[in-house]
Amino acid sequence: MGLQVNGKTLDTDEEGYLSNLSDWEPEVAQVMAEADECDLTENHWEVINFLRSYYEEYQIAPAVRVLTKAIGKKLGKDKGNSRYLYQLYPYGPAKQACKYAGLPKPTGCV
């Protein structure tokens, strides 16, 4: 499996998550989002950047409940709720956003 980004083929697992976290760059998120017919807005990037920081600190990709609470603490209640996050990431906020952020699939995600 692989993902074509800037003329390079990046290794991915069978679900499309990057095999090597260090391969991530913003263009990776763009290519993944285009494949899902999603236009990344500033709000999407806010979540992606939050997840990358969270992973750097805790070495784990958060499940949706943890993600919702953590975003609420950091970005406010209006963004720290499932409805808002599902509007941005309809395939599952933790799962889809972590994929775009170049992180492993969150624990507890089917």
Side-chain angles (χ1 to χ4, degrees):
M1 301 245 145
L3 182 69
Q4 293 292 320
V5 180
N6 294 332
K8 295 184 285 190
T9 300
L10 307 179
D11 287 335
T12 61
D13 67 12
E14 64 279 352
E15 293 183 73
Y17 289 83
L18 286 180
S19 298
N20 186 349
L21 274 58
S22 65
D23 284 343
W24 189 86
E25 55 188 288
E27 290 80 10
V28 170
Q30 292 285 13
V31 169
M32 289 177 171
E34 285 171 14
D36 290 341
E37 298 180 4
C38 174
D39 291 324
L40 295 180
T41 65
E42 189 176 311
N43 292 332
H44 288 92
W45 283 108
E46 195 171 46
V47 174
I48 290 169
N49 292 327
F50 174 86
L51 280 167
R52 291 192 57 80
S53 295
Y54 185 96
Y55 188 84
E56 197 173 294
E57 185 172 346
Y58 299 106
Q59 300 300 300
I60 190 168
V64 70
R65 276 185 140 163
V66 175
L67 173 63
T68 303
K69 279 187 175 184
I71 284 187
K73 280 185 179 177
K74 176 91 173 178
L75 304 176
K77 287 183 181 179
D78 56 324
K79 295 183 179 183
N81 66 71
S82 294
R83 185 177 314 176
Y84 172 79
L85 294 173
Y86 272 97
Q87 285 174 342
L88 294 175
Y89 298 101
Y91 299 117
K95 192 174 175 182
Q96 188 177 17
C98 282
K99 183 176 173 181
Y100 292 179
L103 304 178
K105 185 176 177 182
T107 54
C109 281
V110 179

